[in-house]
Amino acid sequence: MKRFLPVTAAVACGGLALLDFFFDSPHIDAAGTILVEGVTILAAFALLLGLLNILAVHLRRVASGGGDRGASLVLVLALLITTALGISMPDSPGIDWVFGYIYSPLQSTMTALLAFFVASAAYRAFKIRDAAAAILLISSLFVLFAQLPFSASLSPYIPSLRHWVFKVPVTASMRGLLFGIALGTITTSLRILLAVDKPYARSQEPR
Amino acid sequence: MIVCPACQHRNPEGAEVCEACGASLEGFAYRVCPKCGALNPAENLFCHRCLERLAGATSAKGEQPPATEEAEKVLAEVEEEEGTLPPFLVEQVEEAEGAPPVAEEPAPSEEEFPEALPPFIEVEEEEEEPVSEVEGPGGGETLEAVQAEAPAVPSEEREEKEEELPQVVVNPLAGVEDVLPLEAGISLPHRAEPLPTEGPTEKERADADLLRRIAEEGPPLQEAPRKAEEKGVRRLSGSGRALIYLLVLLAAVIPFFTGGQTARWVSPRRSVGVFADVMSRLPVHTPVLVSFDYSPAYGEELDPLARAVVQQLAARSVPMVVMSTKPEGIGIAEKVCTAVAQEMDNYRYGEHYAVLGYLPGEEAGLRTLRKGLADAFREDYVRHRPLSEIPVVSGIASVTDLEHIIVLSDESGIVRRWIEQVRRENTVLLHALVSARIEPTLIPYAQAGQLETLIGGAYGAAEYERATGMRGAAAQTVDADAVLFLVMLLIAVVTNVVLISGDKGRSPRR
Amino acid sequence: MQTIVNVLADLPPAAVEMVGMWVAALLTLAVLSFILGDNPLFRLAEYLFVGVAAGYAASLAWSNVLWPRLRLLVTEPGAYWYYGVFFALGILLLARGVKPLSFLGDLPLGVLFGTGAALALGGVITGTLLPQLRASFLSVSPSDYGEGVLGWACAIDALLIVLGTIAVVVVFHFSAPEDPKSRSWGYWLLNLFQGVGRKVMMVGFGALLAGAAFSFFAVLKGRLAFLCDWITHVVDVGL
Amino acid sequence: MPSLIHAIFFTVDVVALLTLFVSALMFIVFTIRAKGGASIPLRPIGVYEQMRRLVSHAAESGQSLHISAGSGCIGAEATPQAVMGLTAVDYLARRSAEYAYPMMSTAGSPTVFATTHGILQQAEGARGEAGGVGVRFYGPDPFAYAAGTYDTLQEKQPLAHIALGQFGAEGLWISEATNMRDGLRLGGTSDPSSAMLMWLSLDEAVIGEELYAAGAYLHHPSHLGSLATQDYLRAVLIFSIILGVVVASLGYWG
């Protein structure tokens, strides 16, 4: 029973959502809408579970008094205050302030760090060890160069070559990758829908 | 570094109790090699991987290779003989069997192992036991697995090695040690020797079982390049990294001093031109749906583009419905729209544009959008009124009533989601204004006509400003891109010069 | 709480904005300091970020997902009974945190997995696989593209796209020959295509790398521009 | 005739249903065969080989392994990717239960967190350990996830860090930020733009479709049916592309 219900739920919900995809019928449509709304609700509850985990981990750290105790306290306070502000007064300027002056700059600067990281990663990738690495190097430097505003004034062929690179090899490679991903997605989804794979069932059988 | 046996925390050399859990470090099990990071049994004098001398490991043995090194070596020799022991070992085996039962004294624990060992012969005596166990029933697979992976050494070479045994530094199991944790098997002394009086203890049984299970772990499909070596090739030193970071930072600072010298060369690409044209011809009574599906992370890249598009729509009083499928996106949407509406007096909330809000549920959310706008958003985001009371939205039942949807996104998955869930009816034209990072991923969709427009954010904004004749900030920073190109070129040159001068003959990465 | 908000609301907007700018600038600097190595300032900013991000997401989940539906469920239970089912499932999901009751969480997760797999499957077949397949049916006959050289160039382009796509698809072929030294023509062809496919893929990766560099660099430029604004402001106003 | 072909191919749902039906049929046949013991030789994939090897290393040294199953939300299109990340978690957890090495996991999506929690709870139960389950949730913001994972890695200093599942740019963030310390970094994702970034930075990475092979490479042999399906579907795909190009070139298309 412990396994039967979850597996049935997965197969039934999956089947319903699939039917909704392929058939146009008001009844299936209505059921599909209910299901997808339900998924949203469940995801919100999962988030709540996740928050409890963050709180537990960091409160334990605060209590145990390690070196990161202060930082953990900051985390917990930030979480609680933001949640309280957002829930009690969703339209107050307070939450906008937090979003605009704390959350946005932090997230944006975390992304900005990637500019450095991509350069240091390129250092390794640009080593010409074989033909493939050489192609990677040439293609990325060319695309970088062709994007510069004055590259067109150096030679009129540069923009057309860039256009060709994007139209032919880049399209081919991305389409090939997408086909591969599509095949992988199909089999993996089928594993779930046919209940061959049951990662959600905690009491799994040994493989 | 010393690894705490209780919690695996890495403590500095010389620590007596674990910093993390307070457990005593007396009799700690493992020491981390300061050079390559490999984990070594506490008794090792030298790292089993890179042969670096391990800090704190002082012993009367001086500079001799550590015991396990030789042990491994001998074991390899034995295995090359396909189970038949070399003559000198056979003698040792006979000696050992004839000797009084070792088990009368407790089996030496791992910590005591090296000190308790007299030099060379003792090592061999330790050694033959794992071998005999391996040959025994149930252990046969271990040996086979090892043999399958062990490098075949010609017999002359082996004889040479036998002669210079004590000095050999090269680990003959070099390719094998990563496959099977031989150290574990070797450094569990006396485990498998059947005792005349009593059977193996519980612990010994568990250990033997563990070894068997590890041995049964399927061999890898093909021998891959070794980890430690690969690190050396691929990882950048701290100073090199700092230099690269500095160069990138310099490149980003440049436009503050040059002030957009290269901006005059900016010319819109065809796709940008076409999109600007479409936007300038939109009928003034059909609303456009704009979805701000990006987070503040890419705000610096996509905000200028978003602002330019919203400005152009507002200037022509084209009605606009704004939403987001990313929780953070709606804040940005409101900010951009309010800023633009403040500039344009005759572009009013409710009448000309409305911010519907955040649509949760990714795929699922978009499907509800297809079924009905009022189902997806019960009320608008700014004034919290039902959608039916907002003039600009009241004519729209679902997204299929729209002609154009503009998706501003920083994730290819989101655009794909719009294509897969909303674009299916072939009636809506989808314009994707995306982060330059994901632009190439979406090209096949643009080529297939599933996307009407595809514009990369980083340079798209400057080109779009030029195409529409607006004055914006995006063009002012294009100088930096030229410097970025130079930095990347420099990186490419340097890495290959270093490669040619220093790293000849290293194995390719894949 | 309300009083704090009132006090804050009474502050002159300029002051609030100024404080905000300072906070944002200092946090930006703290995160950027990571390029010098891990340091306590970065740590602090990092923890603050994790906390604020989680709190923000939680408040959105409440105000956008849970609260509106809960309200509907309470006011019109007849029409929205199904929300009740999912709220109950959601509570079962929370049981995941309690060890003896952990198995209860399997049921809602089953719903999530099943629905997600179906959405992915349907989406990928109708949205990616088939449309992209149709888009690959390119004519390689020059007469379809125009007269003379142009027609031939377009036809060759089309042929290259098709061959390139096939080559990249083949790269991911998983089965290996039984005998690695197999000399059959099938494996020879497979190897040839895989070799070509990897190189085609590298062209795509090059374009992606360039795009990523531009993208992250644009963000970095934006952050530095913000810091520049802040410094100018500080210099102008004198704090 | 040409118009008939065209008509069939442009009514999406028929073709889509047919595709679904054919792939499901193939999948069922090959999975039954695989469960019956049929085996195919596979080309090596570095990440999965290293993972199998890491298990031995961890068992030998008692050091911990860290795995992140990504930030893909289950219940959305990222489900298959997330499932593959969870398959890897499951593999390490089962081995951890057998060999008693500690393992640690971070999850960037609440749904992945809930699933990982269950998997690890069971593994730890099997290992006979009480106490907290070794999974942490950070997120759902991808960069908060990156920051949290970085922090966990700093704290635990595991033998290796594996990032398998759905990742965006945070994949690059995690692997480059942790590049300063040693330990093996493996992983990969399917989305090309993020996969490229991870491939640049990680010691070994899977790209695109290789991610979906995690089950077959780690959990022989019942997953082999999926790979066989993928390979045969690939052949069908290539064949239909060639056929389509021929038809189009002859002028029978659109």
Side-chain angles (χ1 to χ4, degrees), chain D residues 71-154:
Chain D
S71 45
C73 186
I74 295 162
E77 129 230 279
T79 308
Q81 300 180 47
V83 167
M84 282 304 137
L86 290 167
T87 301
V89 172
D90 188 37
Y91 170 74
L92 292 183
R94 279 162 192 274
R95 292 299 183 277
S96 136
E98 278 176 50
Y99 302 157
Y101 59 82
M103 70 173 281
M104 186 69 211
S105 180
T106 45
S109 124
T111 42
V112 169
F113 164 75
T115 319
T116 311
H117 194 276
I119 293 173
L120 292 193
Q121 214 169 37
Q122 198 196 9
E124 267 147 47
R127 216 164 62 199
E129 272 181 25
V133 176
V135 55
R136 288 181 188 178
F137 168 74
Y138 286 105
D141 181 299
F143 286 98
Y145 172 47
T149 305
Y150 169 71
D151 184 57
T152 310
L153 288 171
Q154 288 287 317

Side-chain angles (χ1 to χ4, degrees), chain A residues 20-21 29 33 36-37 40 91 99 103-104 107-108 111 115-117 119-120 122-124 126-129 137 141 144-145 147-150 153 162 166-167 170-171 174-175 178, chain B residues 233-234 236 241 244-245 248-249 262 265-266 269 295-298 300 328 360 364 367 371 378 384 421 424 440 443-445 447 459 463 481-482 485 488-489 491-492 495-496 499:
Chain A
D20 188 27
F21 236 101
D29 255 16
T33 313
V36 292
E37 275 211 60
T40 319
D91 299 322
F99 179 78
Y103 186 41
S104 300
Q107 199 189 40
S108 186
T111 317
F116 302 104
F117 291 162
S120 63
Y123 177 83
R124 288 188 298 275
F126 280 170
K127 276 183 186 164
I128 302 179
R129 289 177 228 89
L137 170 67
L141 284 183
L144 276 169
F145 182 70
Q147 198 52 60
L148 300 180
F150 52 81
S153 59
R162 180 189 187 274
F166 273 77
K167 192 187 142 202
V170 174
T171 304
M174 291 305 145
R175 190 170 281 161
L178 287 177
Chain B
V233 177
R234 297 193 54 236
L236 194 57
R241 184 176 289 276
I244 289 179
Y245 289 175
V248 175
L249 193 64
T262 58
W265 281 298
V266 172
R269 257 173 295 153
S295 52
Y298 295 91
E300 310 285 2
E328 312 99 311
R367 285 182 71 72
K371 284 166 183 163
R378 302 194 184 278
H384 300 284
Q421 309 292 343
R424 284 169 58 206
I443 285 176
Y445 294 100
Q447 295 275 337
Y459 28 79
E463 291 178 17
D481 293 346
F485 167 72
M488 295 299 259
L489 188 66
I491 289 173
T495 184
N496 286 299
L499 181 73

Side-chain angles (χ1 to χ4, degrees), chain B residues 249-307:
Chain B
L249 193 64
L250 274 181
V253 173
I254 288 286
F256 300 114
F257 301 103
T258 57
Q261 292 294 316
T262 58
R264 60 198 147 109
W265 281 298
V266 172
S267 66
R269 257 173 295 153
R270 220 183 114 257
S271 59
V272 180
V274 170
F275 177 63
D277 196 45
V278 169
M279 288 295 107
S280 67
R281 282 161 202 268
L282 285 179
V284 289
H285 45 267
T286 7
V288 178
L289 180 73
V290 185
S291 189
F292 282 68
D293 295 336
Y294 64 94
S295 52
Y298 295 91
E300 310 285 2
E301 185 188 1
L302 288 169
D303 277 353
L305 194 54
R307 204 171 301 126

Side-chain angles (χ1 to χ4, degrees), chain D residues 26-43:
Chain D
M26 274 177 158
F27 176 81
I28 292 170
V29 170
F30 286 121
T31 303
I32 290 174
R33 280 178 57 182
K35 284 203 167 179
S39 176
I40 47 170
L42 298 177
R43 75 179 163 92

